[in-house]
Amino acid sequence: MNLEIKSRPYPITKEQVWEAFKLVRGKGGSAGVDGITIEMVKANPEKHLYPVWNRLSSGSYFPPAVKRVEIPKADGKVRALGIPTVKDRVAQMVITKELEAIVEPHFSDSSFGYRPDKSAHDAIEQARTNCWQYAWVIDMDIKGFFDTIDHGLMIRSLRHFTDAKHIILYAKRWLKAPIQLKDGTQIQNMEKGTPQGGVISPLLANIFLHIVFDKWIEKEFPDCPFERYADDIIIHVKNEPYARKVLKAARERFEECKLELHPEKTRLVYCNRKGRRKKGEAKTQQFDFLGYTFRPRKLITKDGKIMFGFSPSISRKSTRSIVATCRKLGFHRWTHLDIHQLSKALASKIRGWLYYYGKFHCSALKQAFRLVNRRLVKWAFNKYKRFKRTKSLRTARLWLRQVSKNFAYLFPHWLLGFTP
C-alpha cells in the first residue's frame, strides 16, 4: 500500500475514498447520469471505488456530467440543482474533507453555513442578539450567486489557503464539469458558476465569500457585526446614514468581484423594538432569514411582564411550504392506513418542522399545524363511513379532537398543544 502511494503523484489513500463513501452513503441521494445508485456501489465497492482512488491519486480523474434538476420555488420560479454521480460525490468528498481541514481554522465566527459544529439556529440566535443591540439591518441578497461565481476569482480565493496541486487541479475540473440537461444534451461550464447540489460546492462558496465579503467587512467596517449562512447575509448597523454608506460600499465590493446584489431583495430594515412607529421612520420593519421572519412583537418576560422586542418566528413563506408539502403528500387520502400507521408515516416530518421552526417563538407554528390538523380531519372523514353519512366534517373533527386528548403521543405537534 505504501509503495502504491509513493508511486502516485498525489497523496490520496484508499482509506480516504472508503471514508468518503461512508459519508456519501449517510447523506443518501439519487443516482446521477450513469444511473449507478449508492446501493450498487455498496454491493460492489471494489468495482466502483477502486477506479475512483486510482484516478484521483494519479491525476487522471475527470468528473462526469452533472444532471440538472429543476426544483420549484415558492415564488413560482425554479431552482436549478446539479446532481453528480455517486462516484463523483465520493471523489468530491475526498477533496472536501482534506480542504475543510485546511480552511476551517481561518473562517469567520460569523459564517455559519455548511460548517461543522455550526447551524442555522446558531446564525438565527446571533442575529436575534444583534437586532437588540443595533437599530438597523442590511438584508442582502446576492443575485444568482451559485450561477455567477467567476472561476478565475474562485481559484484565486482558493490559492489564499492552499497551493496543493491536486486540490487546485480537481477544483478547476469540478467548476468546469459539463451539465446534462433534461433532454439529454450536455453544455460545458467554462467561465462562471458552480452547480448547487455538488458536495464541494458549499465549501468553495464559503471560501469565495470569506475572501470577498467576510474578511473585507471585518477590515473595512469592524463595528458592523454580521451573520452569513452561505450566500444569505445580514449586517447590523447603528444608524440609517451609516447603513446606507455600508450598503453602498458592499455593493461596490461585490461588483468588483463580478457579483451583483439583487436590487429589490436587498434593503435596509429598521429594528423597531418599541412597538410604535414614529413619523418618518422606515416602512420596512421586518426581514426574513433562514426561514424565520424577524419583526417587532410582544414578548413575555420570565416574571410575566409584557414588553416589545424584535425577534424571529416562522415566516409566512415557511408556513406555506409546510402546507404545500402536506398537499403534495396528500395524506388525507391514505385511508388504507389506520391512525397509528398514519402517525408513524408522518412523525419524522412533523418532528423536523418542530425541531427547526419551533426553536424560536414556537407558538407561531399554530397556523401551520392548524392546517395540518385540518388535513387529518379530512383523512378521518374519508376513512370512516359514519362521518360521510353526516356529510359534514364537524363530527370527524370532534372525533379527532377527542383522540388527541386521549392519545396525544400519536402526533408530535399534539404533545405541544397544537391539537384539532
Side-chain angles (χ1 to χ4, degrees), residues 9-21 23-24 52-63 86-104 107 154-155 158 161-175 198-204 207:
Y10 301 131
I12 296 172
T13 66
K14 293 178 182 177
E15 286 75 15
Q16 283 178 274
V17 175
W18 178 244
E19 290 300 320
F21 171 68
L23 292 172
V24 170
V52 173
W53 167 77
N54 187 33
R55 292 167 187 165
L56 278 177
S57 59
S58 65
S60 61
Y61 181 83
F62 285 86
V86 173
K87 290 187 284 186
D88 191 42
R89 297 208 291 273
V90 173
Q92 290 189 37
M93 185 65 78
V94 170
I95 302 301
T96 297
K97 299 308 292 183
E98 184 178 347
L99 181 57
E100 191 177 73
I102 298 170
V103 301
E104 262 299 316
F107 281 164
M154 178 69 253
I155 298 302
L158 185 57
F161 295 99
T162 181
D163 56 0
K165 291 183 179 179
H166 62 294
I167 293 178
I168 303 295
L169 173 69
Y170 291 129
K172 287 180 178 178
R173 290 180 183 175
W174 279 312
L175 286 172
V199 174
I200 201 170
S201 296
L203 182 58
L204 292 179
I207 290 170

Side-chain angles (χ1 to χ4, degrees), residues 242-255:
Y242 194 36
R244 296 189 182 281
K245 177 183 176 181
V246 174
L247 177 57
K248 182 175 182 294
R251 183 173 279 113
E252 292 172 353
R253 171 64 175 174
F254 281 115
E255 287 176 357

Side-chain angles (χ1 to χ4, degrees), residues 202-259:
L203 182 58
L204 292 179
N206 269 340
I207 290 170
F208 188 70
L209 285 176
H210 175 80
I211 300 297
V212 170
F213 177 77
D214 298 359
K215 297 300 291 181
W216 170 81
I217 196 169
E218 287 173 351
K219 178 182 177 183
E220 299 294 329
F221 302 98
D223 55 343
C224 295
F226 68 94
E227 296 82 38
R228 182 176 67 78
Y229 194 96
D231 59 329
D232 290 334
I233 303 172
I234 301 296
I235 308 173
H236 303 269
V237 190
K238 286 288 186 183
N239 56 64
E240 184 179 5
Y242 194 36
R244 296 189 182 281
K245 177 183 176 181
V246 174
L247 177 57
K248 182 175 182 294
R251 183 173 279 113
E252 292 172 353
R253 171 64 175 174
F254 281 115
E255 287 176 357
E256 289 174 3
C257 301
K258 302 183 181 181
L259 294 173

Side-chain angles (χ1 to χ4, degrees), residues 62-92:
F62 285 86
V66 175
K67 181 167 68 174
R68 174 173 286 180
V69 177
E70 294 182 344
I71 306 297
K73 295 170 67 176
D75 57 4
K77 299 179 181 179
V78 295
R79 183 190 305 277
L81 294 181
I83 302 179
T85 66
V86 173
K87 290 187 284 186
D88 191 42
R89 297 208 291 273
V90 173
Q92 290 189 37

